[in-house]
Structure formats: C-alpha cells, structure tokens
Amino acid sequence: MDWLREFSKNWKLRGAFNLYLSVSLIFSIPCGLLLQVFLNDIKKNFLLSNALTDRTSLLNSLMFSDLLRAMIDFTPIVVIILFFCLFFNLFYKHKIELIFKFLENYEEANIEDQNELSKKVFELVVKNIELKKDRFNSIQKTNELSKKLDTILHEIKNPLAVLSGDMEMLNTIYEPDDERVKRILSRMTRSEKRIQDYVNNLQIGQNMADMELDIRTIKSKDLLYMIKRELDCWEDNLSFRCKLKDLSQKIDLDLERFIEGLVNILKNSKRHAKNQITLSLYENESYLIVEIEDDGLGFSQEALNNYNKPYFSENPLVGNMGLGLYITDEIMKKQGVKMVLSNNVGANIKLFIKKA
C-alpha cells in the first residue's frame, strides 16, 4: 500500500484520512458481500443437507437458529470494521509514526510527507536547533567572560590588598591636623571599602553555580533565634513580629546561608526605606513565611521583572552592582525557598520555607 502514501504525500491529514477510509470501504464492502454470499452458499449446499439427514443433531439446531442467521447477516459490517482498523493502522504508520520517529531522532529519521503536522514539527525542530545553537554560543561567551573577569579580579585584588594595608597603617600612625587631609583620608577609606565590596560581590556572583549548601532539618525556634540574634546588630527603625504558634515545626535549611540571604534583603530595604522596615515571621498550612517590607517607593516594574538577573541595577552609578537580590534568589532557590517580590506600602519580599 505504499502507493497510498505516495499518492497522498502532499495532502492535508484530513484529506489523506478520508482517502484511506474510502479505499478501505472500496475493498471491504465487496469483500464483505462476497463473504456473506459464500457463507450462505455453504449453509445452503452443505450444512443444510447434513442437518436434514439428522434432525436431532447439534448441527440441525445451529442450522435453523437465529444466531447463525444474524452472524451471516452481519458479516459485511464485521469485514468493514476489520478493514477500517487495518487501514487506520496503515494511515498511522504512513502519516503519524514517522513524525514521532523524527522527533526522537531528527538526525536519522526523515519526513517525506508535506502535511500540516509534519511542517509544524519540522519548524519546531528547526527552532529547537537554533535555540540550542544560541544557548551553546551563550555558554561559550559566558565562559569567556568568566575567565576574563577572573583575571581582572585577580589583578585587582593584589594592589587592593596593598592599598588596604597602607590605608590601615596611615589611619593608625598618622593623625593629620589639616581637616582637608582628614576628609581625603576618610574618602579614600570609603572608596577602598567600596572597591573591596565590589570585588567580593563579583567573586560571589562568579561562584554561585559551585556554591555548596549544608541543608539540615532544624526547628522553627532555631530560625527564630538566628533572626533575633542578627537583628540585635540593626538600627531601631527595624521592627520584628513573630506569629508562629508551634516553634517545634521542622524545616530543611542551610541556616547560615539563609541568614546571609536575609541580610542581603535587609540591606536592600535599608537603602530604599524612608523610616521603617518591618520583618515578620508567620506560617500557613504548608510554609513558614519570612516577610520583609519597607516604607520606600517600592520596586519598579523593571526591577520586578529583572531582580533575579545578575548585574541588573536601576542605580549603577551610586554603588549598586545589582548582585544583592540576584545572589539572595540563588541562595534561596538552592535550598528550596521561594522568593516573591511585590509592592504593598513599599517594597515587599516574602520567603516561603516549605515545612518538612
């Protein structure tokens, strides 16, 4: 039946299916009627004569039963159904199966038909190949950039360490009387610290993929204790609320890394808050939730869309490298914590910790 596939090679699937169905009927109806005539002939010329010679036999009962008559009457329908199944299987093999094989291994399989499904699949495969190429090129560029950045960081760290030591020595042994010299030294110290922070953040950003976590099962009271201990170092404009009922609830966390991410969020809130930052710890049926909210202007739409991309910053000229929330999101994702940004009074960040 390869002629059917060749004949309907450029047909749409609906038209090809109708063709296969029509050919099935052309073959099945005559065959069914011929088989019915043949069975009737056997019944009349062979079975009937044998049944009449022995009226008490099982053959006699079967010969004159309604069951045999119904079976012979339905013979054409049964043949039509069988041929339909046969030609449907043929249609699947010619038109559908090859497409699945092409999807499994497009390098070896080949689609000869030009129907709407094969064209769409071919387009998707081509797009997938292009995406893989783009991804490969992107990975290559990222690796090259990473190597260059590692080289730059290495070149910066050595003179920076010397500068840091010199500044520390100057501040220790030299007490200038001139206010201008004091301001210069103070400005140089702040600038040196800012550069050091930049280098540290860049190193962290570079090593996020290789970060190893020590995730352990802890109780919510351990999380509460670490949060309170960290907040002791913060200013009075930060308020804390805990609404947990069961402090024995178990969670899986790398507590040290979690607090590191939480501090990053608090630092971000501190930069943008007007007067107040609120940290809340509460729960629902499935999660412990840590919520940080400030009374600043909130996140812009651009920040909501790009906060989890490295080096995105709305204020790159004022010392913000755009790594804080990116690093925090990576830390949280690696231990199964979901970070959600939104705007309420000001900026609002929720951390969802799944209960163990």
Side-chain angles (χ1 to χ4, degrees):
M1 288 293 178
D2 287 341
W3 65 271
L4 263 179
R5 181 172 61 184
E6 290 297 325
F7 186 75
S8 59
K9 189 174 182 178
N10 298 320
W11 290 30
K12 289 186 175 181
L13 287 177
R14 180 181 294 180
F17 180 76
N18 289 334
L19 175 65
Y20 277 70
L21 180 60
S22 300
V23 174
S24 168
L25 292 173
I26 290 172
F27 278 95
S28 61
I29 292 174
C31 289
L33 293 175
L34 285 172
L35 182 59
Q36 185 182 43
V37 171
F38 178 71
L39 292 176
N40 277 323
D41 190 56
I42 292 176
K43 175 183 176 183
K44 180 179 179 182
N45 297 325
F46 177 72
L47 297 178
L48 183 58
S49 61
N50 289 338
L52 290 175
T53 59
D54 186 4
R55 294 180 178 275
T56 60
S57 66
L58 180 61
L59 181 61
N60 182 272
S61 301
L62 179 63
M63 188 67 204
F64 297 101
S65 68
D66 293 335
L67 178 61
L68 181 61
R69 188 182 311 111
M71 288 174 62
I72 295 175
D73 290 341
F74 277 98
T75 297
I77 297 176
V78 173
V79 172
I80 289 172
I81 293 173
L82 290 175
F83 267 79
F84 174 78
C85 293
L86 175 64
F87 273 80
F88 180 79
N89 184 63
L90 201 61
F91 173 80
Y92 176 84
K93 184 178 180 181
H94 288 172
K95 306 295 180 181
I96 308 298
E97 190 176 41
L98 287 174
I99 293 176
F100 283 123
K101 289 181 179 179
F102 182 76
L103 286 172
E104 290 173 1
N105 191 348
Y106 60 83
E107 293 181 351
E108 295 182 4
N110 184 29
I111 300 179
E112 296 181 357
D113 284 15
Q114 297 297 319
N115 56 59
E116 65 273 29
L117 180 60
S118 63
K119 289 179 180 178
K120 192 66 177 176
V121 167
F122 185 76
E123 290 175 3
L124 290 174
V125 169
V126 170
K127 287 182 180 179
N128 186 47
I129 293 172
E130 292 175 351
L131 287 173
K132 285 183 177 179
K133 287 181 179 178
D134 291 342
R135 184 181 178 186
F136 178 76
N137 292 332
S138 178
I139 291 173
Q140 277 191 320
K141 290 179 180 178
T142 302
N143 289 337
E144 291 173 2
L145 179 62
S146 179
K147 291 178 181 178
K148 291 179 181 178
L149 192 55
D150 285 339
T151 303
I152 293 171
L153 289 175
H154 179 73
E155 294 298 325
I156 291 176
K157 285 178 69 176
N158 290 334
L160 184 62
V162 174
L163 177 61
S164 178
D166 290 344
M167 292 298 301
E168 186 175 350
M169 186 179 298
L170 277 174
N171 287 324
T172 303
I173 65 174
Y174 180 59
E175 295 182 3
D177 297 328
D178 193 332
E179 286 297 324
R180 291 177 300 174
V181 176
K182 288 182 179 180
R183 287 198 297 271
I184 291 171
L185 286 174
S186 175
R187 188 162 61 246
M188 289 174 66
T189 302
R190 289 196 305 270
S191 298
E192 180 270 328
K193 185 179 182 304
R194 177 177 292 181
I195 295 172
Q196 187 66 55
D197 289 340
Y198 281 2
V199 172
N200 292 336
N201 283 332
L202 282 170
Q203 286 180 316
I204 294 172
Q206 286 289 96
N207 299 324
M208 285 305 299
D210 301 324
M211 178 187 291
E212 294 184 0
L213 298 180
D214 182 21
I215 298 177
R216 300 181 182 182
T217 300
I218 61 172
K219 294 182 179 180
S220 54
K221 67 177 182 180
D222 300 321
L223 175 63
L224 177 61
Y225 170 77
M226 289 296 290
I227 291 176
K228 284 184 174 180
R229 193 176 76 169
E230 180 62 37
L231 295 184
D232 287 341
C233 305
W234 287 77
E235 294 85 349
D236 294 336
N237 67 334
L238 195 155
S239 61
F240 176 59
R241 303 169 186 169
C242 177
K243 299 179 181 179
L244 296 181
K245 297 179 181 179
D246 182 12
L247 294 179
S248 63
Q249 176 64 54
K250 294 182 179 180
I251 53 177
D252 295 327
L253 273 185
D254 181 335
L255 193 52
E256 185 178 342
R257 290 291 189 185
F258 181 85
I259 295 299
E260 179 184 336
L262 180 61
V263 169
N264 282 343
I265 296 174
L266 291 173
K267 286 180 179 178
N268 188 74
S269 295
K270 183 181 177 181
R271 283 198 302 269
H272 297 92
K274 295 178 180 177
N275 299 304
Q276 188 66 32
I277 302 171
T278 303
L279 175 62
S280 304
L281 179 61
Y282 55 96
E283 64 185 312
N284 59 24
E285 291 183 1
S286 303
Y287 296 93
L288 292 186
I289 303 169
V290 179
E291 180 178 0
I292 306 96
E293 187 171 53
D294 61 56
D295 59 353
L297 297 176
F299 297 109
S300 68
Q301 190 59 49
E302 188 179 8
L304 291 174
N305 293 336
N306 298 286
Y307 73 91
N308 55 357
K309 296 178 181 177
Y311 310 114
F312 167 78
S313 174
E314 292 183 291
N315 301 300
L317 299 180
V318 294
N320 185 4
M321 293 186 68
L323 281 169
L325 291 181
Y326 161 71
I327 292 172
T328 302
D329 187 54
E330 289 295 314
I331 291 172
M332 297 306 171
K333 281 193 296 188
K334 283 182 177 291
Q335 50 190 320
V337 178
K338 184 179 180 182
M339 187 168 86
V340 179
L341 275 64
S342 62
N343 289 316
N344 193 2
V345 176
N348 181 286
I349 298 178
K350 291 186 179 72
L351 304 173
F352 292 85
I353 309 167
K354 192 170 183 62
K355 293 180 180 178

